[in-house]
Amino acid sequence: MRGTPICLGLAALLSLPGLPGCGRIREMFPLSRTGGTAMASFVAEGFPESQSGLVASDIAERLRSGYPPGKTSLYLAVFLAGQGEGPVAQAVEDLLRTKGFAILDEPSDEAVTVAWRIDRVDERTWYLMVSLSGGYRFARLYEADGQGLRPMGLLSQGVL
């Protein structure tokens, strides 16, 4: 299944008991362009902090492929208690700045708001889902292999 696109794995993931189905995705990542319901990031307890750079790299590369660095301002929606100071948030912010993105301290109608969810599927599998304020989302599964996390398949992407 290594060569199978991640969208199939994510479809299976979302159908597991106890995980939200497609209808609940909007509840997990409410979108706001005008300051209504806010987006927020989440990193599950137990996420291996040493793997923050791997996740940050996936987020940064996908954003860079869709938005021109140097011309795009981002607002990282990491205002949940304990999330804004964490290693994932710091790794994402540092890498995006290095890639040439302007990172804003406050949401703005001109900025792209970025929020992520990193959660555990089972003992060996984690998932990343990134939501952007325009409704675009991308996701990836990771497998713990004893050395750290290893991406499983390609990033899936689309608009919900």
Side-chain angles (χ1 to χ4, degrees), residues 104-160:
L104 304 182
D105 292 331
E106 298 289 326
S108 164
D109 286 340
E110 290 78 38
V112 176
T113 299
V114 181
W116 53 84
R117 180 177 185 88
I118 300 172
D119 212 343
R120 179 173 273 178
V121 176
D122 58 34
E123 290 301 314
R124 295 190 57 196
T125 310
W126 289 85
Y127 73 89
L128 163 70
M129 183 176 296
V130 179
S131 297
L132 307 179
S133 53
Y136 182 78
R137 299 205 168 115
F138 56 94
R140 174 168 262 172
L141 291 172
Y142 301 88
E143 180 180 39
D145 65 2
Q147 306 283 309
L149 297 181
R150 183 176 50 83
M152 295 172 61
L154 304 171
L155 283 168
S156 72
Q157 49 200 4
V159 177
L160 287 178

Side-chain angles (χ1 to χ4, degrees), residues 32-36 109:
S32 172
R33 292 187 188 111
T34 59
D109 286 340

Side-chain angles (χ1 to χ4, degrees), residues 67-68 70-75 100-104 108 110-114:
Y67 297 92
K71 296 183 179 182
T72 304
S73 296
L74 303 173
Y75 171 69
F101 288 99
I103 307 297
L104 304 182
S108 164
E110 290 78 38
V112 176
T113 299
V114 181

